[in-house]
Amino acid sequence: MSNQPVFVYNKEVLQYRFYQEHPFDQFRVLLAKDLIEQIGALSESQIVTSASANVEALQRIHREDYIQAVMQLSEEIPDPDWILRAQQYGLHDEETPYFRGMHEAAASITGGSIAACEAVMTGRAPHALHLGGGLHHAFPNKGAGFCVYNDAAVAISHIRDKYQARVLYIDTDVHHGDGVQWSFYTDPNVLTYSIHETGKYLFPGTGFVNERGEGEGFGACVNVPLDPYTEDDSWMECFKRTIEQTAAVFKPDLIVSQHGCDAHAFDPLSHMHCSMRIYKEMPRIIHEAAHTHCDGRWVAIGGGGYDIWRVVPRAWSLLWLEMIDHPMLQELDSTPDLSLPEAWIQRWQEQSVHDLPQTWLDNVNLWSPMPRRSLIAEQNLRISTLAMEYVR
Ligand SMILES: [Zn+2]
């Protein structure tokens, strides 16, 4: 077994684009990769490309008629009959509209997540990262929340069957990981865990603590819905205790984690008030859980993240640095105001709509504190305790 983690990257990821002003912008993958390269933390030998997922693989999760619709609506000029049916497949709203080449781009992303899982399960690499993936809202018969094919669900289903593996799915996106949860709701061998802003106020409106799985799968679904305006300390307290307990009880063979980074205070689509600190600390906890419970087998994928300049590149770079045990992370512990590479800032500042950050972490002392901080933290802790009641 090689001890070198792999970085799955396909150029087609940039073709996954709804329209120019759409908030979901995969250019962020390139920005993150460039930041990692600027600090010399990614070598050619670590990068792997992958084949697109074929229809047979997609059918593990998606209905045949839905795949057919996605393919038809990918044409330069789709057939009017299919355009009429786009609505029923969730591909005709402003949020997740069909676009030319949609099938090819989404199938490429799905292939990347399968390849990342295969790299780890075959022992080629201890860990694998696929930042293009994490499209957790797609359903068997419809697209939703910017997601066309559910790469995470397809890859997990493939691994579970091929290797008879128990998979722990950890979703740290600020939105509930609904598509993955419902795909494995009755499956005792896939535990889906999601920490997110409560569905009372945020898309997709699910992920409550009483969603715990069904039948054989009861107890293999964990939801930790947190209150709006949650800050770092409370988020981390809830995440750490629930993940450590869940991993210890479930005893996975593989961890697949989704790293949407939209709980950051700068993110325009949620109401949380976390800083870059949680995107440094969550990967560490997941990494430790992987080595404690499943021989280190860990696959990480991307997800949401709509401040593509100030938040996503730093968050996803920190994730990769954790994966490769990069010494800069220790340096950050002692020097929290460590600077980003000047060359990266110089290269992108002109295109950025914001002033780019100068440091890896945020100085939260400069932010105004949230009102009701202790009430929010108490409520979150109560929910975390409830979330653990039936885990198995
Ligand atoms: Zn999200």
Side-chain angles (χ1 to χ4, degrees):
M1 191 210 251
S2 155
N3 58 5
Q4 187 155 246
V6 296
F7 187 98
V8 179
Y9 179 76
N10 298 299
K11 280 200 284 295
E12 290 89 39
V13 71
L14 298 172
Q15 306 303 317
Y16 189 88
R17 188 94 184 97
F18 296 97
Y19 49 86
Q20 199 56 41
E21 302 75 28
H22 195 284
F24 190 93
D25 187 351
Q26 292 285 43
F27 192 65
R28 63 210 175 123
V29 175
L30 204 89
L31 292 171
K33 181 167 171 279
D34 188 54
L35 180 51
I36 295 166
E37 284 169 342
Q38 287 289 345
I39 57 167
L42 183 62
S43 65
E44 221 31 71
S45 65
Q46 289 168 313
I47 301 176
V48 301
T49 55
S50 53
S52 291
N54 58 27
V55 170
E56 197 186 350
L58 297 172
Q59 277 180 354
R60 293 185 151 279
I61 296 296
H62 295 289
R63 248 168 44 185
E64 208 176 330
D65 59 320
Y66 174 66
I67 299 169
Q68 180 72 12
V70 173
M71 284 173 143
Q72 292 289 338
L73 290 164
S74 292
E75 300 285 333
E76 187 173 2
I77 304 169
D79 189 285
D81 284 351
W82 284 104
I83 294 180
L84 281 175
R85 294 171 69 182
Q87 192 102 43
Q88 96 185 58
Y89 292 112
L91 299 171
H92 208 299
D93 53 10
E94 231 171 81
E95 210 176 84
T96 318
Y98 66 86
F99 61 93
R100 188 182 169 189
M102 162 175 71
H103 167 76
E104 290 73 16
S108 165
I109 287 173
T110 309
S113 295
I114 295 172
C117 288
E118 279 285 4
V120 169
M121 291 309 291
T122 57
R124 171 178 176 186
H127 318 309
L129 177 62
H130 177 229
L131 293 174
L135 303 178
H136 59 167
H137 297 307
F139 277 64
N141 58 343
K142 71 179 177 68
F146 318 152
C147 303
V148 175
Y149 292 142
N150 199 316
D151 59 288
V154 170
I156 290 169
S157 161
H158 167 83
I159 290 301
R160 178 203 53 195
D161 291 352
K162 183 168 174 187
Y163 298 93
Q164 312 294 308
R166 280 166 76 77
V167 182
L168 169 58
Y169 172 75
I170 300 173
D171 190 312
T172 69
D173 194 286
V174 79
H175 301 94
H176 175 225
D178 57 347
V180 185
Q181 167 175 304
W182 302 126
S183 293
F184 303 102
Y185 209 55
T186 58
D187 189 337
N189 293 312
V190 176
L191 189 151
T192 63
Y193 167 103
S194 182
I195 186 168
H196 45 262
E197 177 178 339
T198 169
K200 272 190 263 182
Y201 309 106
L202 195 69
F203 179 89
T206 49
F208 295 102
V209 75
N210 61 344
E211 292 163 31
R212 301 186 189 274
E214 234 168 57
E216 293 268 285
F218 184 80
C221 173
V222 173
N223 281 293
V224 186
L226 304 181
D227 269 11
Y229 310 116
T230 293
E231 296 168 283
D232 292 344
D233 285 344
S234 175
W235 179 289
M236 285 315 304
E237 180 181 36
C238 296
F239 181 75
K240 189 170 192 296
R241 57 157 61 190
T242 52
I243 275 301
E244 286 176 352
Q245 197 179 335
T246 299
V249 171
F250 183 69
K251 300 183 182 68
D253 300 310
L254 170 71
I255 292 177
V256 176
S257 54
Q258 194 269 20
H259 295 265
C261 48
D262 37 8
H264 193 282
F266 295 164
D267 194 275
L269 300 192
S270 77
H271 316 100
M272 297 312 232
H273 216 254
C274 296
S275 80
M276 201 49 59
R277 196 185 114 200
I278 70 168
Y279 298 114
K280 170 175 170 281
E281 291 182 7
M282 284 195 290
R284 181 178 293 178
I285 290 168
I286 296 168
H287 195 180
E288 277 171 15
H291 283 287
T292 306
H293 300 290
C294 47
D295 259 344
R297 284 185 293 271
W298 175 29
V299 171
I301 56 182
Y306 307 97
D307 189 320
I308 70 160
W309 298 102
R310 296 180 297 180
V311 176
V312 185
R314 291 188 294 165
W316 287 356
S317 296
L318 290 169
L319 170 60
W320 174 248
L321 296 183
E322 175 63 41
M323 210 168 238
I324 61 172
D325 288 315
H326 195 277
M328 197 196 82
L329 293 175
Q330 266 90 60
E331 210 181 327
L332 260 182
D333 286 339
S334 54
T335 318
D337 60 349
L338 197 68
S339 294
L340 287 177
E342 190 58 37
W344 185 83
I345 299 172
Q346 295 275 320
R347 177 176 294 177
W348 301 110
Q349 181 57 71
E350 208 167 298
Q351 285 183 54
S352 170
V353 292
H354 301 286
D355 281 340
L356 290 175
Q358 301 293 311
T359 53
W360 280 97
L361 300 177
D362 302 305
N363 185 355
V364 293
N365 297 323
L366 302 175
W367 297 2
S368 38
M370 285 289 108
R372 301 192 308 115
R373 173 182 281 172
S374 60
L375 288 175
I376 292 170
E378 277 167 34
Q379 167 65 8
N380 288 344
L381 212 51
R382 257 197 306 277
I383 284 291
S384 302
T385 306
L386 282 175
M388 289 296 98
E389 260 179 6
Y390 298 95
V391 61
R392 66 174 189 188

